[in-house]
Amino acid sequence: MTAQPDHPARTGFAPPMRTLAELRDALGSWGFPGDLQAFEEELSAADLDNLTRVREITQAYRHRVLLRYDAQGMAALARSTEDVAAELRRKLTDR
């Protein structure tokens, strides 16, 4: 799983995702390619009596839909590995 954003989507738009059915619809329409299938696989593999694990899975995929509508989040995903590595090196040498 990728890291989840620690801020809400900035567009003001968020599809309804309060139920598993709504989350499935949102992943199918607005998620990243493959998200719906990966969600179904993770949910099928989870012990549904372990509500903490089910909540973790649903929250992670909900955040992925919100990330699609966050311009800063998408810009961060588009950065190259070299760009991120160079920024980290600069920050570490500035200490």
Side-chain angles (χ1 to χ4, degrees), residues 50-62:
N50 182 347
L51 297 180
T52 300
R53 180 66 187 135
V54 172
R55 181 177 44 93
E56 290 170 347
I57 294 168
T58 56
Q59 285 179 339
Y61 282 92
R62 184 177 183 281

Side-chain angles (χ1 to χ4, degrees), residues 7-56:
H7 47 82
R10 300 211 191 306
T11 62
F13 172 78
M17 295 183 282
R18 291 176 301 223
T19 66
L20 287 176
E22 289 177 344
L23 178 55
R24 284 181 174 112
D25 287 343
L27 286 168
S29 299
W30 295 294
F32 290 96
D35 274 356
L36 180 56
Q37 181 179 352
F39 171 72
E40 294 295 350
E41 290 170 2
E42 283 192 55
L43 200 57
S44 293
D47 174 9
L48 296 181
D49 289 330
N50 182 347
L51 297 180
T52 300
R53 180 66 187 135
V54 172
R55 181 177 44 93
E56 290 170 347

Side-chain angles (χ1 to χ4, degrees), residues 51-92:
L51 297 180
T52 300
R53 180 66 187 135
V54 172
R55 181 177 44 93
E56 290 170 347
I57 294 168
T58 56
Q59 285 179 339
Y61 282 92
R62 184 177 183 281
H63 283 284
R64 291 180 64 79
V65 171
L66 295 175
L67 182 62
R68 285 295 291 256
Y69 288 94
D70 186 326
Q72 290 177 335
M74 290 304 293
L77 287 177
R79 291 179 65 189
S80 69
T81 302
E82 294 80 21
D83 183 38
V84 173
E87 180 182 342
L88 290 173
R89 279 192 299 276
R90 281 191 307 273
K91 287 181 178 182
L92 288 172

